[in-house]
Amino acid sequence: MSVAAQPTVPDCALLVVGPLLAVHGLWTVLMARDRIRCKTSLARMTRVAELTQRALVRPLPADLGGLATAVRTRSASEGALVGGDLHDAVLLPSGPRLIVGDVAGHGLDAVRVSAAVLSAFRHAAATEPDLVRLAHILDDRVRDDLGDEDFVTLLLADFVPGAVRLVNCGHPPPLLVGRRLEVLESPCPSPPLGLSPTPSLQAVLLTPEQRMLLYTDGFTEARDAHGTLLALDRRVRAALGALTLDEALANLVGLVDRHAAAHDGDGHGDDLTLLLVQPTAGLLTGPVLPVPKNEDVPSAPQGNLGQS
């Protein structure tokens, strides 16, 4: 009677290791497949997020109904195209209407509120002729999206032949660029949206030789290593007096970054929106429309950009 051969030690090892190797190989394949699936899903979500953000910051045409425009935007949030800043424009029969705003705070909450303001503006701006009423409409429609301490600074601007009409709710005042820089402070300051705004109308004469800068506080609150704010001096005036609007904004962004780099490393400590406009000769230079009685007295023109 023969005795069955007993497996040797190497045979036993093979019996144990073989299945383990097979399991490990299967696990590796499954993990690789999961990684590919996750990367594909992440790429798809990233693309959707990018398209969504680009829908919020629609590019403005270089010429909007006789108003030449140039825009620079930058989010302080890493990987984000937009933050709490917002801007947009519509073309009315009377001329272009612009909005620039800034939501208090950063991150997704600021983006959410920014989207709500833009949605309300796009819904009402083309049908509401009165800027003051439009400001109240925007305040009513975004109130439910704001927390107890949230608010939105807002600047509305209607460009008509020979002038611009402004409504400012707690926003940094625009700059009029002519022979000198003029800060267009509102004679009747209003709180921001969400804080019971009291908007009023301000009218300013605007000629083809002048430019106007609308911006958010990422421009005026840029600080250097000593905490000093960027001064609205001859350097800003020179930057904004470049030959083209795009060159002017490129110069201004460079000035802001050089000023702030020593303070926060890369100069990107806050969201930044710069919107530079200039009426084109022959399109927005018709007879100046009469100023309604509830408007402030227009300021006088300041002359050519090229003069010192």
Side-chain angles (χ1 to χ4, degrees):
M1 182 176 181
S2 60
V3 180
Q6 298 295 321
T8 63
V9 172
D11 292 336
C12 292
L14 185 59
L15 291 173
V16 175
V17 174
L20 291 177
L21 291 174
V23 171
H24 182 269
L26 179 61
W27 179 83
T28 301
V29 171
L30 293 176
M31 289 298 294
R33 184 179 300 170
D34 285 343
R35 282 197 296 270
I36 293 174
R37 188 181 297 113
C38 287
K39 288 182 179 179
T40 302
S41 178
L42 179 60
R44 187 180 302 112
M45 293 173 63
T46 301
R47 179 60 176 164
V48 170
E50 181 178 342
L51 291 174
T52 301
Q53 292 181 83
R54 291 193 184 281
L56 291 178
V57 287
R58 298 183 302 193
L60 299 185
D63 186 287
L64 183 66
L67 187 71
T69 70
V71 184
R72 291 289 186 279
T73 63
R74 186 169 63 201
S75 172
S77 301
E78 184 177 357
L81 298 176
V82 296
D85 287 2
L86 60 99
H87 74 277
D88 204 357
V90 296
L91 185 58
L92 305 180
S94 59
R97 170 173 286 177
L98 274 61
I99 180 176
V100 175
D102 188 359
V103 179
H106 300 284
L108 292 178
D109 284 341
V111 174
R112 175 182 56 80
V113 175
S114 176
V117 176
L118 285 175
S119 176
F121 175 78
R122 291 166 184 173
H123 184 267
T127 57
E128 175 50 66
D130 188 278
L131 276 185
V132 171
R133 285 200 299 265
L134 178 59
H136 283 298
I137 289 172
L138 298 182
D139 181 57
D140 290 339
R141 292 188 178 176
V142 303
R143 193 172 301 162
D144 291 341
D145 294 285
L146 300 175
D148 293 339
E149 298 182 357
D150 295 335
F151 60 88
V152 183
T153 68
L154 191 71
L155 181 67
L156 298 170
D158 274 355
F159 291 85
V160 296
V164 56
R165 293 169 178 168
L166 304 169
V167 165
N168 191 333
C169 296
H171 197 78
L175 294 181
L176 186 63
V177 188
R179 291 182 178 178
R180 58 186 176 88
L181 289 180
E182 182 181 355
V183 181
L184 300 177
E185 296 277 4
S186 175
C188 302
S190 165
L193 303 191
L195 300 178
S196 301
T198 56
S200 62
L201 208 56
Q202 175 187 10
V204 179
L205 296 180
L206 185 64
T207 71
E209 292 77 26
Q210 295 173 301
R211 294 171 176 175
M212 182 172 289
L213 180 70
L214 291 71
Y215 55 92
T216 57
D217 60 12
F219 166 50
T220 51
E221 294 187 2
R223 298 176 182 271
D224 64 12
H226 304 288
T228 304
L229 296 175
L230 179 66
L232 299 178
D233 55 18
R234 58 180 180 79
R235 298 173 302 162
V236 173
R237 164 66 181 73
L240 291 173
L243 183 61
T244 69
L245 299 187
D246 285 324
E247 291 175 357
L249 287 189
N251 292 343
L252 192 60
V253 169
L255 180 63
V256 172
D257 286 349
R258 288 190 298 273
H259 180 81
H263 181 258
D264 52 29
D266 60 4
H268 301 175
D270 198 1
D271 296 332
L272 177 66
T273 295
L274 301 170
L275 175 53
L276 186 62
V277 301
Q278 183 173 10
T280 58
L283 291 178
L284 282 182
T285 56
V288 177
L289 298 182
V291 179
K293 293 181 180 180
N294 64 335
E295 291 192 17
D296 300 306
V297 178
S299 64
Q302 297 299 320
N304 294 328
L305 281 170
Q307 299 179 4
S308 57

